Amino acid sequence: TNQGREIRQSPTDRKKLDGLYECILCACCSTSCPSYWWNSEQYLGPAVLLQSYRWLADSRDEHKGERKAMLDNNMSLYRCHTILNCSRTCPKGLNPGKAIAEIKKAMATA
């Protein structure tokens, strides 16, 4: 572990985080998501999954396995049906739908 020390990141790896950390947690994406309407007790929703992918995409993160394990069930992630209302309604122009797709890909190749 690197507690107390800065972990350097290449410019290429840093660029992968663009569009992930700018979320202002307004919940426009989650409130526009039909899957979240019907399953808000179990489905994490677009805002939370965007933030989850922010950590999974970060080359400095040392807890990817633990994070993926938390998503490995049929409700937390897989209730997304790619309707993409979330991406259309984001006032910051972020793309939670793409982040969710990237998490699904990462889960499939784990």
Side-chain angles (χ1 to χ4, degrees), residues 38-87:
W38 305 119
N39 302 292
S40 63
E41 296 298 317
Q42 295 175 296
Y43 174 54
L44 295 175
V48 171
L49 291 169
L50 178 71
Q51 293 304 302
S52 296
Y53 185 60
R54 179 260 176 268
W55 289 103
L56 291 171
D58 194 326
S59 62
R60 301 166 297 179
D61 184 45
E62 298 175 341
H63 301 284
K64 284 181 183 19
E66 295 167 42
R67 296 181 202 289
K68 285 181 179 179
M70 288 186 215
L71 297 171
D72 194 16
N73 60 67
N74 68 346
M75 287 301 289
S76 296
L77 170 65
Y78 296 102
R79 290 295 109 193
C80 173
H81 299 291
T82 59
I83 296 167
L84 300 178
N85 284 354
C86 57
S87 298

